[in-house]
Amino acid sequence: MSSYSNPLDDPAADPFEVAARAASDIARLTGVPQHDIALTLGSGWGKAADLLGETTTTIPATEVTGFSRPALAGHVGSLRSILTPGGTRVLVIGARTHYYEGHGVRRVVHSVRTAAATGAKTMVLTNGAGGIKETWTPGTPVLISDHINLTADSPLEGATFIDLTDLYSSRLRDLARTIDPSLDEGVYCQFRGPHYETPAEVQMAKTIGGHIVGMSTALEAIAAREAGMEVLGFSLITNLAAGIQTTPLSHQEVLEAGQAAEPVISDLLARVIGTL
Ligand code: 8IG
């Protein structure tokens, strides 16, 4: 037995083997041997799972190998198995580990590797984020078209060269737009956080081609691609990025914008997942 409280913290551990153990925990605790789609719920998206179908099991994430306790109230630390009306099994991950928690990138992408090990072929990643495009107002959901990873880190270990072309599947984005043709899209910049950006950093992100600023998703998307999954990404713009909006950013405002948008984005997400 390992002496580490989380087996991923053992440098000698194989993260894919830990993910395989987590997937077998999920199969045992849910009675569902395989899931088809995985969905990570970010800030503002917490209620979106309720409309997907029947929740057959809810598991505290702490009962699954390798999962960390959630760092933030409002980030629900649970995994849910949902059966959609169309018969699809969706694994809902309400237990994101953020890079800024400082536990290393293996912990950040463990849920994605676990999802792949349960059999999921599609990874739907959602987040709350800051918007750079002036046309976006708080509460606007947007598709992620690509990302710029500003963490200077990678979930890939060793000489693992993975192509990231069309990482945020254009096929899945097109499908999402059949549900809501007004959905805009943008390039997501992952910053380390947990501080928000300075206005100068937001201008840098804009200059290098970014439209959305956040603290998650890019590293997870890379791991999903490595695992062979097709990725769909959504950001809920809960605030305009620093300097784009003239008032200071507050976490409370971010939560409120998420709550206000909840019914609309929940319906959107349920309908999109229904077509996958
Ligand atoms: I919600 O403005 C949310 N998350 N980096 N910047 C970054 N992350 C965020 C922001 C933001 N808003």
Side-chain angles (χ1 to χ4, degrees):
M1 278 309 276
S2 145
S3 59
Y4 295 89
S5 65
N6 185 315
L8 288 168
D9 295 342
D10 178 354
D14 171 359
F16 296 96
E17 191 269 328
V18 180
R21 279 159 55 201
S24 69
D25 292 338
I26 290 168
R28 173 173 46 80
L29 293 164
T30 62
V32 178
Q34 297 241 310
H35 285 81
D36 305 303
I37 297 172
L39 164 65
T40 300
L41 296 175
S43 309
W45 297 86
K47 291 271 157 55
D50 295 341
L51 295 179
L52 293 177
E54 179 203 349
T55 297
T56 58
T57 314
T58 303
I59 313 168
T62 44
E63 287 184 26
V64 180
T65 302
F67 277 75
S68 316
R69 234 168 274 285
L72 201 62
H75 284 230
V76 193
S78 70
L79 298 171
R80 286 163 71 175
S81 182
I82 292 183
L83 178 59
T84 72
T88 302
R89 297 287 185 175
V90 183
L91 180 68
V92 178
I93 301 159
R96 176 178 262 147
T97 298
H98 284 90
Y99 188 65
Y100 58 68
E101 292 171 47
H103 300 303
V105 77
R106 281 184 170 189
R107 292 243 218 137
V108 172
V109 302
H110 178 60
S111 62
V112 170
R113 288 180 173 151
T114 297
T118 69
K121 300 284 182 271
T122 308
M123 186 74 231
V124 182
L125 297 169
T126 68
N127 59 58
I132 297 178
K133 280 197 199 179
E134 318 261 355
T135 52
W136 294 341
T137 51
T140 307
V142 300
L143 289 163
I144 300 174
S145 59
D146 202 346
H147 78 220
I148 299 173
N149 171 13
L150 296 175
T151 66
D153 209 338
S154 172
L156 309 182
E157 299 182 23
T160 311
F161 304 110
I162 298 283
D163 173 67
L164 298 181
T165 310
D166 199 36
L167 177 55
Y168 299 87
S169 166
S170 49
R171 187 185 80 84
L172 296 182
R173 278 182 279 143
D174 287 346
L175 256 180
R177 277 187 292 255
T178 65
I179 304 298
D180 180 358
S182 76
L183 271 174
D184 202 356
E185 63 181 30
V187 172
Y188 181 93
C189 293
Q190 180 172 359
F191 283 83
R192 182 195 183 277
H195 51 270
Y196 295 119
E197 296 70 37
T198 63
E201 288 163 346
V202 170
Q203 286 306 310
M204 176 195 75
K206 184 178 180 179
T207 301
I208 64 178
H211 308 108
I212 306 163
V213 286
M215 306 177 192
S216 66
T217 304
L219 295 170
E220 297 162 21
I222 295 168
R225 166 58 65 91
E226 180 191 28
M229 290 192 282
E230 196 174 9
V231 177
L232 177 62
F234 280 105
S235 288
L236 173 66
I237 304 302
T238 57
N239 58 279
L240 293 183
I244 305 288
Q245 75 172 45
T246 49
T247 51
L249 270 53
S250 97
H251 183 59
Q252 187 57 32
E253 257 179 291
V254 161
L255 293 179
E256 282 167 14
Q259 272 162 20
E262 208 148 60
V264 174
I265 62 174
S266 300
D267 178 68
L268 169 67
L269 195 59
R271 289 167 64 199
V272 169
I273 286 179
T275 66
L276 296 181

